[in-house]
Amino acid sequence: DTGVSQDPRHKITKRGQNVTFRCDPISEHNRLYWYRQTLGQGPEFLTYFQNEAQLEKSRLLSDRFSAERPKGSFSTLEIQRTEQGDSAMYLCASSPTGTFGYTFGSGTRLTVV
Amino acid sequence: KNEVEQSPQNLTAQEGEFITINCSYSVGISALHWLQQHPGGGIVSLFMLSSGKKKHGRLIATINIQEKHSSLHITASHPRDSAVYICAGQGAQKLVFGQGTRLTINP
């Protein structure tokens, strides 16, 4: 297992377009987290999954954002009708249930032009 | 108001200097993580602390539960230590991050 993998690494899109990011966690990890990081700031929580169940969503996650983890393995984060304010690094992390050991992906950097 | 506050935001030092980065957190945080983020975005977990002190190589992390304060120290700093260091509090189900400290070590 090579860790948490995110795809794509970089995405440039025009305002109003939809984008989808993928995260493949470490296979034994039940928990999967999405965070968003803007320039010069620490990451902010977006949502997390325990297996396939989405257990918590931040109020930062507007109606334009949706995340899924259909089979409890990989997860996707979709942003519809992108806005310039969505430009950020989107980070995925996973952890086993019952521990606080996190492994982070390298992130997807989104630029909305 | 963020539940996790870090200082300083930026730190520049000369190679060999002893570095300290501080982190204060609020109630509801059960453990404290120190993370390192290099340009390009990838985050590496350095330590997780719920009490006392941990050491790994030239890195030392301490936590004072009563004062809700943690520090990350780097001894004999080196230019390759240049990165953003982030403390993150463990909430009930998720991490709450500080803003990060951008550390630059000059040769």
Side-chain angles (χ1 to χ4, degrees):
Chain A
D1 198 342
T2 55
V4 177
S5 125
Q6 290 189 247
D7 183 68
R9 290 294 308 275
H10 303 274
K11 177 72 177 179
I12 300 174
T13 191
K14 290 185 178 178
R15 191 172 46 187
Q17 298 294 305
N18 299 344
V19 294
T20 300
F21 310 140
R22 177 178 169 127
C23 171
D24 286 87
I26 291 177
S27 53
E28 309 86 62
H29 287 186
N30 304 98
R31 293 190 173 183
L32 185 148
Y33 304 80
W34 285 99
Y35 291 89
R36 181 172 69 185
Q37 185 179 25
T38 53
L39 205 59
Q41 302 295 315
E44 295 175 295
F45 171 77
L46 292 178
T47 189
Y48 102 94
F49 293 84
Q50 171 86 23
N51 299 314
E52 67 274 12
Q54 188 174 20
L55 295 187
E56 188 174 344
K57 289 170 60 171
S58 163
R59 61 183 180 277
L60 293 175
L61 217 62
S62 75
D63 291 345
R64 297 183 298 104
F65 287 71
S66 62
E68 293 183 342
R69 193 182 183 198
K71 295 182 181 178
S73 56
F74 73 91
S75 176
T76 57
L77 178 68
E78 180 183 16
I79 309 174
Q80 295 182 325
R81 304 181 304 283
T82 51
E83 301 172 358
Q84 284 189 316
D86 297 331
S87 296
M89 174 76 82
Y90 290 84
L91 290 161
C92 176
S94 68
S95 73
T97 306
T99 80
F100 293 141
Y102 295 85
T103 303
F104 286 84
S106 296
T108 293
R109 184 172 295 284
L110 172 66
T111 303
V112 182
V113 297
Chain B
K1 183 181 183 298
N2 199 6
E3 297 168 48
V4 176
E5 298 282 345
Q6 264 184 262
S7 64
Q9 282 193 285
N10 293 283
L11 179 56
T12 300
Q14 291 299 122
E15 183 172 357
E17 286 189 39
F18 181 81
I19 302 299
T20 296
I21 300 170
N22 294 302
C23 180
S24 297
Y25 57 94
S26 62
V27 295
I29 301 295
S30 59
L32 208 290
H33 298 254
W34 282 101
L35 310 162
Q36 182 190 57
Q37 186 172 34
H38 279 282
I43 290 178
V44 174
S45 179
L46 299 174
F47 297 104
M48 184 183 69
L49 291 164
S50 54
S51 65
K53 175 179 173 178
K54 287 190 176 178
K55 184 176 189 293
H56 186 258
R58 294 179 295 104
L59 301 178
I60 304 165
T62 63
I63 190 167
N64 183 318
I65 304 295
Q66 287 72 32
E67 295 186 2
K68 296 185 177 51
H69 180 271
S70 177
S71 294
L72 176 69
H73 305 286
I74 305 175
T75 62
S77 59
H78 189 276
R80 65 174 174 266
D81 297 326
S82 298
V84 175
Y85 291 84
I86 305 173
C87 69
Q90 180 64 55
Q93 302 294 347
K94 61 185 183 286
L95 293 176
V96 179
F97 290 82
Q99 287 186 305
T101 295
R102 182 173 298 279
L103 174 66
T104 304
I105 305 295
N106 293 319

